[in-house]
Amino acid sequence: MSTRRRVLPIAFATFAMVVPTCTPPGPGQTPTPPAPPSEQGVDANEEVAADRLVPALLTQDRIAMVAAARRSGTDFVYSVYSDLDRDGVVTKVEFRRTPKADGTYDYPRTAPTGDADPGQDPLDRTDPKALAAREDEVAVQNGAAFLPLSATTFPYACERIAAAFDHPGAGDLLLVHSPAGTDGHYTGNHGNLDVTQSRSPLILSGAGIRPADGTPTGSYGALARLVDVAPTAAKAIGIRTMQGKRLDGSAGTTYLARQDGRVLSEVLDGTTAQQVVIIVSDGMSHTRLRQLIERGQLPNIAQLVARGGFFEYGAIGNFPSNTYPGHNVIGTGCYSGHHGLLDNDWVDRKQRVVTDPYHEKIGTSDYIRSDVETLFDAATRTFGKWDGALGGAYTVSVFDPCARGAELQVLELSAAGGFPVPEGECPVVAPAGLSPYLTAGVALNQFSTMLVQRQFLEAGSKHPAPKVTILNLPLTDMLGHELGPHHAMADPAYVVTD
């Protein structure tokens, strides 16, 4: 497989919790059944419950912020509550969104009320460049186990909160974890609006990409988000533009039917690549990856950087972006509130059931909205559907939750040309000391990579070279959950992934 034709984002999907609420009974009252489900956000019947619940939530160390949406005309007014200095005084900020001519939004907001101390307004702390190096994280950590809330920022907070509430399955409230937050099931977890957990490492490399400086540590200073990956990849391989929907829902020229992100044109060289390969290493730390590249411990990834560049400030992810919504953000170019697969699970208000794509696995592509395109769909629209031989766009999704439209969908157990099995032995080369669970992660990385290699080796005989490939490598995510992202075994896991 030629790395010259590869576009390689290595992504750290993030997590946030979506929590529905109801009014608890007062003293001496008999609990009553829940009221019929309403739309997302807080309505008039839920105000009393929200007023009682928000301050209580903010006393928990693992909660950094609580966001709410209240219907106002055809849109919402959004409220963000926080107590960043933990002094018991809640800060409240409200914002709206107003469409701009380019299909994006402005987010005018009110002055904060409550705690007037400096630094307590989270919407004033949105720098996406903060804490972009490991030494910066260590310095502000100052020997503590976790980053203090006072040191972090929340990039694109308004945009990401508002997009999440666009989904009818969004909660009445959205909870944002602190850097120390966890759901109790894992040693480590990923997710929230905090810059260190929102930031994904991003590398672009190969044909169509302008090299940063031709060295293994070359970097781009451009700001990026994960919603920008699919539009950039689409332009790089010559996907045909169309009249699609932009971030604000208005019509405009786009590369995908629904496109929230932009093309990172400042890193493209104007030529067209023949194929794109997107490799996602879920749970990978931007700062650790950067540090290991600079130390020379990841020679293969360093070669990719030399043929393109490492985004100095990474790419900011979706909210909420557990694995299933986050991977589909990369593959569709729109936030999970718009592509339809909101979270790993959420409450379907109409059916009054919990929708659970994370555990369903097969058939989860059905949650992607019909007016949204994946890169696989867009490739088929532009280059034609694969004809079973050497014509049309042959596309591949290997162990990735974004699969709709691909001819080979490993997680969905769908293979138009027959399910491939790698030939020969596949010895598992795992670092000493890994648990059986993490050794299985090493095996999955190796097996998945072999599946992709076979697709390219068979190109020209059984099918064309894959026009779009998305490969998911799960080891870094598995390690982060079981041991924590900065455990002593993290470096060996990154070396194995390289």
Side-chain angles (χ1 to χ4, degrees):
M1 179 169 52
S2 171
T3 54
R4 291 187 65 256
R5 299 194 181 280
R6 180 177 300 172
V7 176
L8 179 70
I10 298 180
F12 171 26
T14 60
F15 164 87
M17 186 179 294
V18 182
V19 179
T21 66
C22 60
T23 305
Q29 293 181 335
T30 301
T32 56
S38 63
E39 67 173 5
Q40 67 270 40
V42 176
D43 64 25
N45 295 322
E46 297 163 331
E47 287 289 356
V48 172
D51 288 344
R52 294 170 60 183
L53 185 58
V54 168
L57 288 169
L58 291 173
T59 63
Q60 300 183 35
D61 286 341
R62 69 192 188 106
I63 303 299
M65 286 188 277
V66 179
R70 294 172 173 84
R71 177 65 68 180
S72 176
T74 58
D75 205 354
F76 292 97
V77 174
Y78 306 92
S79 303
V80 175
Y81 306 85
S82 62
D83 181 13
L84 300 182
D85 61 3
R86 298 300 197 232
D87 65 356
V89 182
V90 174
T91 301
K92 176 184 177 183
V93 188
E94 291 187 344
F95 69 91
R96 295 176 178 267
R97 57 184 180 182
T98 58
K100 298 166 62 177
D102 64 358
T104 62
Y105 288 106
D106 276 325
Y107 299 92
R109 58 192 183 88
T110 63
T113 59
D115 195 336
D117 293 344
Q120 295 311 298
D121 178 357
L123 301 187
D124 250 352
R125 296 165 46 181
T126 58
D127 183 7
K129 298 181 179 181
L131 305 177
R134 181 70 183 131
E135 54 266 28
D136 297 335
E137 292 179 334
V138 172
V140 299
Q141 205 167 332
N142 197 27
F146 297 98
L147 292 170
L149 269 176
S150 59
T152 194
T153 66
F154 307 94
Y156 309 107
C158 294
E159 177 174 293
R160 294 191 285 158
I161 289 170
F165 273 120
D166 281 340
H167 194 291
D172 299 332
L173 303 175
L174 298 181
L175 307 190
V176 180
H177 282 175
S178 69
T182 178
D183 65 3
H185 298 292
Y186 303 110
T187 300
N189 215 337
H190 48 70
N192 74 55
L193 292 178
D194 159 41
V195 67
T196 57
Q197 295 191 42
S198 295
R199 178 183 283 128
S200 307
L202 178 62
I203 297 168
L204 300 187
S205 176
I209 302 300
R210 175 184 60 79
D213 63 14
T215 71
T217 56
S219 63
Y220 303 117
L223 298 179
R225 301 159 300 165
L226 289 186
V227 290
D228 302 329
V229 171
T232 303
K235 181 174 175 61
I237 62 170
I239 295 292
R240 188 171 60 246
T241 59
M242 62 182 298
Q243 278 294 105
K245 290 183 180 179
R246 301 179 292 185
L247 176 64
D248 66 357
S250 65
T253 302
T254 61
Y255 285 91
L256 298 122
R258 174 74 194 241
Q259 183 178 311
D260 293 346
R262 70 179 183 92
V263 173
L264 297 169
S265 55
E266 57 268 53
V267 304
L268 299 180
D269 66 9
T271 64
T272 300
Q274 296 302 306
Q275 297 95 26
V276 59
V277 177
I278 298 177
I279 301 178
V280 185
S281 188
D282 197 337
M284 184 172 271
S285 162
H286 169 89
T287 57
R288 180 171 292 277
L289 179 68
R290 180 178 179 180
Q291 186 179 63
L292 292 177
I293 292 173
E294 291 172 349
R295 290 176 178 173
Q297 294 178 254
L298 306 177
N300 295 310
I301 294 176
Q303 287 185 45
L304 293 171
V305 176
R307 295 171 180 170
F310 187 95
F311 279 70
E312 183 177 0
Y313 307 111
I316 301 301
N318 171 72
F319 179 78
S321 58
N322 274 327
T323 296
Y324 270 69
H327 285 245
N328 280 283
V329 167
I330 294 170
T332 64
C334 55
Y335 290 113
S336 67
H338 298 158
H339 68 50
L341 208 160
L342 175 64
D343 202 349
N344 279 349
D345 55 67
W346 69 91
V347 176
D348 184 321
R349 286 178 167 83
K350 290 185 179 180
Q351 301 297 323
R352 306 190 77 168
V353 298
V354 174
T355 301
D356 190 4
Y358 181 80
H359 289 101
E360 292 171 14
K361 296 291 190 293
I362 299 174
T364 61
S365 292
D366 294 343
Y367 294 116
I368 302 300
R369 290 170 52 104
S370 61
D371 61 348
V372 168
E373 281 185 321
T374 64
L375 273 172
F376 309 119
D377 296 325
T380 298
R381 169 173 57 81
T382 299
F383 304 107
K385 184 169 178 58
W386 179 49
D387 62 7
L390 300 181
Y394 181 72
T395 53
V396 173
S397 172
V398 175
F399 286 109
D400 196 85
C402 181
R404 196 187 71 183
E407 301 296 342
L408 172 60
Q409 305 176 24
V410 174
L411 272 186
E412 297 275 6
L413 299 181
S414 174
F419 205 83
V421 177
E423 298 177 355
E425 296 183 358
C426 180
V428 178
V429 182
L434 281 190
S435 68
Y437 172 71
L438 294 178
T439 300
V442 174
L444 277 173
N445 272 20
Q446 294 179 200
F447 183 74
S448 303
T449 303
M450 291 176 69
L451 282 181
V452 171
Q453 289 173 333
R454 178 165 177 173
Q455 300 308 300
F456 280 87
L457 290 171
E458 293 177 346
S461 57
K462 294 185 177 181
H463 50 71
K467 179 63 71 172
V468 177
T469 301
I470 301 183
L471 165 64
N472 176 35
L473 301 178
L475 175 61
T476 48
D477 183 60
M478 295 168 70
L479 179 133
H481 284 313
E482 182 170 286
L483 301 177
H486 298 301
H487 188 272
M489 292 304 301
D491 287 2
Y494 280 56
V495 170
V496 167
T497 300
D498 178 72

